[in-house]
């Protein structure tokens, strides 16, 4: 089982799906980034996973679909509608189907499973929760909803704290706890620990199941040489945890992991937990295989 945010999450999920039987893999995705745009429910991280593992991701952007067209968005912009969050024509089809289903009362997990099946996804993809859970950032400019901070303001505002609206009350989506209990290994993807993995762990039932795990849990550090591969994770670790070394990543997962996969560039730094050292950049199939093998090695090493 893998707990995954968007791009980093989907890369590790793909790495594992290419290395083990993909039907044996369960991916639990972040929904704290979910947002309503033009009346449509968008689940960016679930979609990044769906698109990555079915060969549809726009690799250059790291979100949305390859070969996308923007006719609808252009019309929306012409009409003065909401166009800051760029929804492409192909992508919109997914949001239409999802939103219609949710309005009819179908749970997010059920419509996600339907979309996944239709797109040919082999692993099981589960949202962390079917209930409303939203990430908010405390910044010097005030508290901002996730996508306003990340996309509209380009995650330039410093983050003094993260809050998960609905996190305490949210129950794990059907299948999440069962998958956690049936797993041979629990992996935490090299996603942002605060805003990508944080919302998953904010679901009390998931955190408790992870704390009480009977199998090894291993995280892959999102850092290479003390810097995040992409996005604001480095800046957030520095400000909220006091540094950008393996130990600061471990500190985000206290009591939740037995090992941390770190990059060769960070091998000399203290981690506060058992480490597995490899090259962690997953740029190509070879890089993904290396990381998947390091993660899977930890099962044998920790048993
Ligand atoms: N990221 C951007 O930087 N700009 C966008 O306009 C944008 C649109 C978008 C549409 C659908 C989708 O699934 C993702 C989209 N993203 C966009 C990426 C996304 O908001 C973030 O990368 C994730 O939420 C962070 O994991």
């Amino acid at each position: 089982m893998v707990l995954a945010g968007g791009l980093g999450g989907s890369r590790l999920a793909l790495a594992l799906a290419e290395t083990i039987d993909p039907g044996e893999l369960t991916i639990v995705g972040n929904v704290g980034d979910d947002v309503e745009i033009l009346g449509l429910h968008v689940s960016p991280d679930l979609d990044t996973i769906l698109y990555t593992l079915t060969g549809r991701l726009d690799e250059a952007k790291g979100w949305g679909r390859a070969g996308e067209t923007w006719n609808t968005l252009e019309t929306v912009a012409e009409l003065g509608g909401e166009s800051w969050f760029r929804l492409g024509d192909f992508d919109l089809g997914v949001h239409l189907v999802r939103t219609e289903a949710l309005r009819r009362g179908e749970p997010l997990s059920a419509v996600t499973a339907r979309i996944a099946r239709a797109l040919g996804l082999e692993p099981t993809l589960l949202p962390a929760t079917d209930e409303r859970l939203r990430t908010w950032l405390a910044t010097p400019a005030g508290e901002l909803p996730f996508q306003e901070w990340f996309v509209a303001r380009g995650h330039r505002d410093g983050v003094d704290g993260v809050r998960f609206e609905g996190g305490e009350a949210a129950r794990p989506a059907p299948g999440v706890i069962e998958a956690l209990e049936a797993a041979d290994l629990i992996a935490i993807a090299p996603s942002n620990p605060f805003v990508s993995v944080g919302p998953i762990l904010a679901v009390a039932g998931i955190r408790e199941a992870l704390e009480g795990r009977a199998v090894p849990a291993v995280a892959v550090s999102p850092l290479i040489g003390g810097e995040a591969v992409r996005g604001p994770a480095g800046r957030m670790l520095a400000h909220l945890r006091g540094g950008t070394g393996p130990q600061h990543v471990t500190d985000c997962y206290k009591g939740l992991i037995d090992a941390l996969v770190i990059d060769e560039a960070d091998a000399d730094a203290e981690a506060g937990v058992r480490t597995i050292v490899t090259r962690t950049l997953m740029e190509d199939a070879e890089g993904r295989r290396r990381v998947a093998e390091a993660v899977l090695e930890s099962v044998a090493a920790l048993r």
Side-chain angles (χ1 to χ4, degrees), residues 5-8 30 32-35 37 42-48 51 57 61-65 70 73 83-88 91-92 95 98 146-147 149-152 154-155 191-192 195-196 230 232:
L7 192 59
N30 169 36
D33 296 20
D34 284 20
V35 63
I37 303 286
V42 184
S43 295
D45 283 2
L46 298 181
D47 291 346
T48 299
Y51 295 159
L57 186 79
K61 289 209 306 292
W63 54 268
R65 290 203 26 185
W70 305 94
L73 190 75
S83 59
W84 63 275
F85 196 81
R86 303 181 59 222
L87 299 178
D91 196 30
L92 272 161
H95 311 317
R98 176 189 290 125
F146 181 84
Q147 297 296 354
W149 169 71
F150 193 89
V151 172
H155 51 77
S191 301
N192 184 312
V195 296
S196 299
R230 203 179 158 118

Side-chain angles (χ1 to χ4, degrees), residues 11 60 63 65 82 92 100 121 148 159 194 201 272-273 299:
R11 289 258 155 86
W63 54 268
R65 290 203 26 185
E82 201 178 6
L92 272 161
E100 187 274 332
L121 183 79
E148 190 179 329
V159 174
F194 302 100
L201 300 177
V273 72
V299 187

Side-chain angles (χ1 to χ4, degrees), residues 62-244:
W63 54 268
R65 290 203 26 185
E68 187 60 282
T69 59
W70 305 94
N71 299 299
T72 312
L73 190 75
E74 277 165 27
T75 306
V76 168
E78 249 171 44
L79 301 178
E82 201 178 6
S83 59
W84 63 275
F85 196 81
R86 303 181 59 222
L87 299 178
D89 298 328
F90 291 138
D91 196 30
L92 272 161
V94 172
H95 311 317
L96 286 169
V97 167
R98 176 189 290 125
T99 306
E100 187 274 332
L102 293 173
R103 297 236 164 100
R104 255 194 297 111
E106 191 174 342
L108 182 62
S109 54
V111 64
T112 301
R114 240 166 10 91
I115 294 170
R117 206 173 314 122
L119 294 181
L121 183 79
E122 286 183 90
T124 302
L125 174 61
L126 303 171
T129 181
D130 276 338
E131 285 152 55
R132 187 185 156 83
L133 188 162
R134 293 289 179 275
T135 302
W136 289 78
L137 294 308
T139 80
E143 199 181 30
L144 303 171
F146 181 84
Q147 297 296 354
E148 190 179 329
W149 169 71
F150 193 89
V151 172
R153 300 170 68 97
H155 51 77
R156 277 183 292 272
D157 304 87
V159 174
D160 298 319
V162 184
R163 179 171 71 88
F164 305 110
E165 178 195 342
E168 272 306 301
R171 287 162 302 172
V176 171
I177 298 303
E178 292 82 345
L180 266 166
E181 287 174 354
D184 298 310
L185 171 71
I186 302 157
I188 299 182
S191 301
N192 184 312
F194 302 100
V195 296
S196 299
V197 182
I200 302 175
L201 300 177
V203 178
I206 298 182
R207 175 175 280 275
E208 283 159 18
L210 197 51
E211 281 167 347
R213 69 194 174 279
V215 296
V218 55
V220 180
S221 169
L223 301 170
I224 297 184
E227 281 177 35
V229 173
R230 203 179 158 118
R235 235 165 11 112
M236 294 179 79
L237 278 164
H239 188 60
L240 299 172
R241 288 288 180 278
T244 58

Side-chain angles (χ1 to χ4, degrees), residues 237-254:
L237 278 164
H239 188 60
L240 299 172
R241 288 288 180 278
T244 58
Q247 177 77 61
H248 305 104
V249 177
T250 304
D251 288 348
C252 295
Y253 300 130
K254 275 198 195 104

